[in-house]
Amino acid sequence: MPLRDLPTESKAAAALLRTEELEHRRTLRRTQWQSAALACLAVAATVAVLIPGSASTGCYLWRATTQPVSGRGAALAVSITVLALLLADRLCADRIWLRPQVRGWGAVALVVVTGAAWVGLATQGRTGCSTSPAVIGVVVCGGLASSIAAYWATRSPAPPALLAAPSDVTENSSEEPLDQTQLRAAFLRLSPVAENSADLRTTIEPILIGTLAALLLASTVLPWRDLLDPVALGPTGSEAGVARVQLWEIPSAEAWAVVLVVTTLATLCAALATLIVPKPAQLVLRVTAVATGAVVVAGILSAFVQLPPRLSDGVGYRVGVGAWFALAFGVLLLALGATATALSVRRRAPGWSLRLVLVAVTCLAAVGAGLLVPAAAAPEYRPVVAAGAPHRLLDLQGGQLVDRLGMRVAIGTSDPLDSIAGTFDGTPGQWLLGRTGSEGSTLFEYRDGVALPRVALSHGVTPPALLGVMDNRMVLLAGGPGNRPWAILSVPLTLVAADISLSHKNADGSYYVTPDVDVLATGQGPALTHRNADRSVVFWGSSSTWQIPANEFRRGMVLKDFLVDPGPGGPGNAVSTGPDGTTAWRTSQTGLALLRPGGVPQQLTGVAPAGCLLSKDAASSSLTVEAFAVDVRGNLWLGGSSPTSVITPDGVLRELPGGTAGVDSVEARPDGSVLLGVSPGGGDQILEITDAAASAGSYPAAPEPTARCDRRTPADGNTQYRATVLPTVRPAEPSVTAEGQPGKADPGTGMQLGLDAHGKLIRLRVPNAAHAWAPDGLGGVWWTVASRSNPSAEVAVHWTAAGAEAVRDPRPVAPNQRGEFAAAAGGRLVTAISGQFYNFYGPGPQVSRIQLKGALKQDGLVQLGSGDAAMVLGERLVHVSHDGKATTLLGGATSGWPITATGVAADQWTTDGNWFAGPDGRLWGYDGSHLVRVDGPGKVTVIAGPAQGVPQAADQVTVIGKALYFELGTDVVRLEPTR
């Protein structure tokens, strides 16, 4: 070896000193028990804050819904402060003099943050915050971390010296000979130490970037948006006020969230790969770090920060703590990636130009994704509408509306359209009344696709119906189910909460409501409502209908000034009017009448014989009308279980394109649009036809009805029966109380044909308290009612023109048990009560009870003159004797043939139709087309059909003496034998 290659004494000494310094720094960087303990405490504090606790404690720290706990941000800052202390200690490892100061100030910061968290949690007045395991965990972790950090700051590890102590070194070392071989061996042994220290410096970058990526990923579980709501949304009242939404609960930001997570995971994987294979993975690490930071920064600044401004009452959105943390982590990732790339370019490392281009292109692409992909503050929703076809306005999945900012509004009323209303004066505005509690609702302003809460309402178990908004006040109908009171209220939008339960009264007898709430009108239930296209609102109850223009809702209004009676059957039924004067109203449970300006009322029953398809004539179509509305051009919209249809002014029934069925509410709006409320698959939807009034005439017309179903063609032929259309039958009230005593009963909405003292046909108003009622076949009516003197007993009242008789059931009934169906024949009555029990009354005071298994169909009970009964149980027609013995007469198939079909087995006949005791006291049936008599099991005799004058598609059949009376809406047709 040449002498010049041997290490000199000065070089060897420098190498040894340098090695000692490197070993000292390595010792300082080495993870000690304090670092591991602080890391564990940070994880424990994070778990205590983020994991949702039990709501029963009253102080669960985290739940991304409503009723948050104040001070949990400071609680989360405990773990973040610990992580920041560990990171700062690692970054200043080479500065021995700075490290104790960092640890000391870190201990002070931990004490301050822990104290702030404890004060914020313990001073809220919640008793659960002093004993909550989550709160105790945060405070304990913070206190331990503060103690460990303080102890750490006072201790500095002493690395072992590589050189001998100064006392062991001879003062004049230059005079001693230098062993060149040993010195070279020491030099070669210590050289790798210096090289490893350089490698250690390269691991700081991936560790730091990986840590930031992990924190960024964890920030997605924090709230990214807070809804500031001074309204009490929950049952705890004042503890509510903020609804928090996580990143994954924002539907419009899902695509951007996926991009964010993909780039973050790629950064984490690259950081791990860099620790294993340093050089090949460094380029990927810097590119993904820059991409992640650019996506986060651009997305948050362009979308999530641009939220709707606050309203005057303090309601609005703000960016949540999760978005702010993510923004901070994104800025750090972007800075680290850009700085590392800039240093690589400055050193002119091999391939620096390629790295610069890749990082720049990735950054631009990520910025573009952040600007374009998220849509958390997108413009107002404007759906594409196909001409004449409905589109979805609001998707109330499972009864909840989700707006494009993630706000959930529960629509809790029976009629979806009662929860959505506009302004009375026609100005732009959409208002929602959604359930936010078992006995509470909140009025939301639906503006720019965002549901902003305005007023919280406490209404009891019955939700109100929103009618509209005018003069910064909302008008609604509160109460009204069954026989409960109802009121039309005007509630100012400036209130935070209002009580409209109508459960208390003031000293003057008026209902108690929150001050500043105006009671415009009151009444006794039932009460229903409907909005019309002419900007009027219709209310109807048991016997009255009021139609109030939108500009007449004011204090001092008198309901009787707005009474309407459009025609026979109108009072106490729904009415819909259009601006041109076209009026439609219900005449019975299934009947409709339509009156056009200058015309005569046209009866629409909406019911046809089985097998009659939709046809040009609405009354000859199998169409059960659940809801109806007249639009601004006089079109009558019909909705129900059948496909939605519309009757245009030319009298033609047209089916809505798309076959929308299952509609339970229809509203025609003044702007010409029509809203349909449907419930597909159990979830609620509201469909809007924006050009409904203009496009209805272009819908395809239904075909002509078949001869069997055509009600416009009168029956002809000379038979033993004569059909007569009777004049209008007047309504009358019984002259006895509900229990059959002399007096006057409170009449209800139910009516039954009977004969008065002069033998004239009347419509008897059955008392409101009656459970079930039925004609006796001789002109009288039976009904059942709970006894006032003994509420556990039931009384059967037999009313005739000569008076009334009462039969008391001696057997007690279960609580809330009431008669469901009834049938009578002369002095006999049979009633079906819940629990598959049947009561047989008569003759005289006799009462007996039997139990029979099987589900009784509606109106499927018949009292025969012999004292036996007939019942439709499921799909079978059964004859039942007094002792409970049952014999199947016919039926059994779920979808069978009409009973008039020949060559078909009796068990294949359908039991659909009306069954009653005929004029001869035997079992008769009417299937909407023919009259038949059942003579025994499988034995059916056809008595008469359309050719003999039997009306088609009648609503009800009543036997009085030898004649049969068919009700078609308000029309009554009498069929009587000629001999």
Side-chain angles (χ1 to χ4, degrees):
M1 178 182 297
L3 292 177
R4 66 176 179 271
D5 294 334
L6 293 176
T8 62
E9 181 180 4
S10 59
K11 290 183 178 180
L16 290 175
L17 292 174
R18 176 61 175 167
T19 303
E20 183 178 7
E21 180 184 0
L22 294 177
E23 284 294 334
H24 184 72
R25 292 184 177 182
R26 180 182 296 179
T27 302
L28 293 177
R29 290 196 183 102
R30 187 178 298 123
T31 301
Q32 298 173 332
W33 69 269
Q34 293 93 341
S35 301
L38 287 176
C40 293
L41 290 174
V43 173
T46 303
V47 170
V49 174
L50 294 183
I51 292 183
S54 174
S56 61
T57 63
C59 193
Y60 50 91
L61 286 188
W62 189 258
R63 176 176 285 180
T65 55
T66 58
Q67 304 175 28
V69 176
S70 301
R72 60 181 177 177
L76 186 62
V78 172
S79 57
I80 296 177
T81 305
V82 174
L83 293 177
L85 174 59
L86 291 175
L87 182 60
D89 181 76
R90 295 291 296 172
L91 290 177
C92 64
D94 292 340
R95 301 181 180 181
I96 303 174
W97 62 271
L98 183 60
R99 207 168 193 186
Q101 299 184 27
V102 171
R103 295 173 179 176
W105 286 110
V108 174
L110 278 173
V111 172
V112 173
V113 172
T114 304
W118 172 252
V119 171
L121 293 169
T123 59
Q124 301 180 62
R126 301 193 188 195
T127 57
C129 284
S130 60
T131 59
S132 172
V135 177
I136 294 176
V138 171
V139 175
V140 169
C141 290
L144 291 177
S146 303
S147 302
I148 292 175
Y151 175 79
W152 201 15
T154 60
R155 294 293 184 272
S156 179
L162 295 177
L163 299 178
S167 60
D168 299 335
V169 180
T170 306
E171 295 182 1
N172 189 7
S173 60
S174 60
E175 297 179 356
E176 296 182 1
L178 180 63
D179 190 344
Q180 297 291 337
T181 303
Q182 294 180 357
L183 186 58
R184 178 172 177 79
F187 180 77
L188 295 176
R189 178 174 61 85
L190 297 175
S191 295
V193 177
E195 294 176 359
N196 291 336
S197 65
D199 294 338
L200 182 63
R201 182 178 301 175
T202 60
T203 61
I204 296 178
E205 178 185 349
I207 291 177
L208 187 57
I209 291 179
T211 303
L212 290 175
L215 293 175
L216 175 61
L217 194 61
S219 68
T220 59
V221 303
L222 299 175
W224 278 59
R225 186 177 58 248
D226 295 348
L227 172 64
L228 301 181
D229 177 18
V231 179
L233 293 178
T236 57
S238 60
E239 297 179 4
V242 179
R244 290 187 165 92
V245 181
Q246 296 175 345
L247 175 62
W248 300 105
E249 295 179 314
I250 306 174
S252 56
E254 288 182 357
W256 179 80
V258 171
V259 174
L260 184 152
V261 171
V262 167
T263 56
T264 305
L265 291 177
T267 305
L268 277 175
C269 295
L272 295 175
T274 306
L275 296 176
I276 301 172
V277 188
K279 292 186 178 180
Q282 276 189 350
L283 177 60
V284 178
L285 176 64
R286 293 167 182 172
V287 170
T288 55
V290 170
T292 303
V295 165
V296 172
V297 173
I300 294 178
L301 295 181
S302 64
F304 290 94
V305 176
Q306 306 297 326
L307 293 174
R310 282 196 180 192
L311 302 178
S312 57
D313 55 4
V315 178
Y317 289 100
R318 72 179 180 191
V319 183
V321 64
W324 291 122
F325 276 129
L327 180 61
F329 298 144
V331 170
L332 291 176
L333 279 173
L334 183 61
L336 284 175
T339 302
T341 304
L343 293 176
S344 175
V345 172
R346 182 179 180 183
R347 292 194 300 266
R348 292 298 192 270
W352 66 269
S353 58
L354 176 62
R355 298 180 182 181
L356 181 61
V357 171
L358 284 177
V359 171
V361 172
T362 304
C363 184
L364 292 177
V367 170
L371 293 175
L372 301 178
V373 175
E380 184 178 356
Y381 171 63
R382 298 184 182 277
V384 178
V385 182
H391 68 78
R392 186 170 62 190
L393 169 68
L394 302 173
D395 187 359
L396 311 180
Q397 302 173 358
Q400 282 197 337
L401 177 146
V402 181
D403 69 10
R404 58 184 174 81
L405 290 182
M407 183 63 194
R408 289 176 172 84
V409 180
I411 303 298
T413 57
S414 57
D415 185 348
L417 298 185
D418 286 343
S419 297
I420 299 179
T423 56
F424 279 129
D425 58 2
T427 56
Q430 192 85 320
W431 300 84
L432 311 175
L433 186 62
R435 291 289 288 273
T436 48
S438 59
E439 297 185 359
S441 298
T442 299
L443 177 71
F444 294 85
E445 181 181 3
Y446 197 69
R447 185 177 62 187
D448 295 333
V450 182
L452 299 175
R454 299 299 299 269
V455 183
L457 301 176
S458 176
H459 49 65
V461 295
T462 304
L466 178 63
L467 306 179
V469 175
M470 60 183 299
D471 299 332
N472 207 31
R473 303 176 72 93
M474 65 170 167
V475 180
L476 50 84
L477 172 66
N483 199 30
R484 304 284 295 175
W486 56 265
I488 302 175
L489 304 176
S490 176
V491 182
L493 301 181
T494 54
L495 289 179
V496 173
D499 180 7
I500 58 170
S501 59
L502 306 182
S503 57
H504 304 284
K505 286 190 175 183
N506 300 317
D508 58 357
S510 60
Y511 292 108
Y512 169 78
V513 291
T514 301
D516 294 334
V517 175
D518 295 336
V519 180
L520 306 183
T522 60
Q524 201 72 14
L528 300 171
T529 183
H530 181 84
R531 292 185 295 268
N532 289 328
D534 61 355
R535 301 192 188 281
S536 65
V537 181
V538 174
F539 302 88
W540 68 94
S542 59
S543 58
S544 302
T545 301
W546 304 272
Q547 185 170 0
I548 306 175
N551 59 353
E552 295 293 336
F553 286 98
R554 59 179 181 271
R555 299 185 64 179
M557 58 181 290
V558 181
L559 278 180
K560 67 178 183 180
D561 296 338
F562 305 101
L563 283 170
V564 295
D565 185 4
N573 284 313
V575 177
S576 179
T577 59
D580 63 346
T582 302
T583 304
W585 69 95
R586 283 202 182 278
T587 58
S588 63
Q589 183 178 1
T590 57
L592 281 179
L594 178 65
L595 176 62
R596 298 192 181 277
V600 296
Q602 177 187 0
Q603 184 67 42
L604 303 173
T605 65
V607 178
C612 291
L613 302 178
L614 290 177
S615 59
K616 184 178 180 180
D617 182 16
S620 299
S621 304
S622 293
L623 181 65
T624 301
V625 180
E626 298 290 344
F628 63 96
V630 178
D631 66 19
V632 294
R633 295 196 179 185
N635 302 302
L636 176 60
W637 295 80
L638 308 175
S641 57
S642 301
T644 303
S645 305
V646 56
I647 301 178
T648 49
D650 56 5
V652 178
L653 180 68
R654 305 173 187 272
E655 185 176 340
L656 180 69
T660 303
V663 172
D664 54 8
S665 56
V666 181
E667 178 184 351
R669 291 194 159 185
D671 59 359
S673 63
V674 169
L675 298 184
L676 308 177
V678 299
S679 300
D684 297 328
Q685 281 188 354
I686 294 179
L687 307 180
E688 181 187 31
I689 312 174
T690 55
D691 58 347
S695 61
S698 63
Y699 296 165
E704 292 289 340
T706 61
R708 172 176 174 269
C709 301
D710 193 351
R711 288 187 58 205
R712 297 171 300 174
T713 304
D716 55 5
N718 296 321
T719 68
Q720 67 271 26
Y721 287 97
R722 179 175 64 249
T724 306
V725 179
L726 302 180
T728 301
V729 180
R730 67 178 180 86
E733 299 178 6
S735 57
V736 295
T737 64
E739 295 186 54
Q741 301 300 321
K744 185 177 182 181
D746 183 17
T749 57
M751 293 188 180
Q752 183 63 60
L753 291 178
L755 298 178
D756 61 7
H758 303 286
K760 189 175 181 180
L761 189 66
I762 60 173
R763 291 184 184 270
L764 184 70
R765 291 186 182 272
V766 182
N768 194 36
H771 295 165
W773 61 89
D776 64 356
L778 300 175
V781 178
W782 280 87
W783 67 74
T784 60
V785 65
S787 174
R788 283 189 177 181
S789 59
N790 185 9
S792 62
E794 189 177 59
V795 176
V797 178
H798 186 197
W799 175 89
T800 61
E805 296 181 0
V807 180
R808 187 179 303 274
D809 182 5
R811 301 187 182 187
V813 297
N816 300 324
Q817 181 173 298
R818 55 181 296 174
E820 297 176 345
F821 306 108
R828 298 177 182 271
L829 171 72
V830 58
T831 61
I833 56 180
S834 57
Q836 301 175 342
F837 287 96
Y838 298 86
N839 276 359
F840 287 85
Y841 294 88
Q846 300 179 16
V847 182
S848 62
R849 178 178 298 180
I850 65 171
Q851 184 177 10
L852 194 64
K853 294 183 178 180
L856 180 67
K857 275 193 173 181
Q858 184 176 0
D859 299 329
L861 185 61
V862 181
Q863 173 70 68
L864 302 177
S866 62
D868 296 339
M871 307 173 187
V872 180
L873 301 177
E875 300 295 335
R876 299 178 300 116
L877 180 63
V878 180
H879 178 273
V880 181
S881 61
H882 261 93
D883 57 2
K885 182 181 179 180
T887 303
T888 300
L889 299 176
L890 56 89
T894 56
S895 59
W897 295 82
I899 53 180
T900 55
T902 58
V904 178
D907 59 354
Q908 296 297 313
W909 284 335
T910 180
T911 57
D912 295 338
N914 293 330
W915 299 96
F916 52 91
D920 56 0
R922 301 166 68 179
L923 178 60
W924 283 36
Y926 171 71
D927 64 355
S929 178
H930 291 77
L931 283 173
V932 299
R933 184 181 68 242
V934 181
D935 299 320
K939 298 179 181 180
V940 174
T941 301
V942 178
I943 297 176
Q948 288 76 39
V950 176
Q952 304 296 282
D955 301 331
Q956 187 66 38
V957 182
T958 302
V959 177
I960 300 180
K962 296 297 182 180
L964 287 83
Y965 293 84
F966 296 81
E967 297 180 63
L968 297 94
T970 56
D971 296 334
V972 177
V973 177
R974 180 175 59 200
L975 192 69
E976 53 187 347
T978 56
R979 64 178 187 274

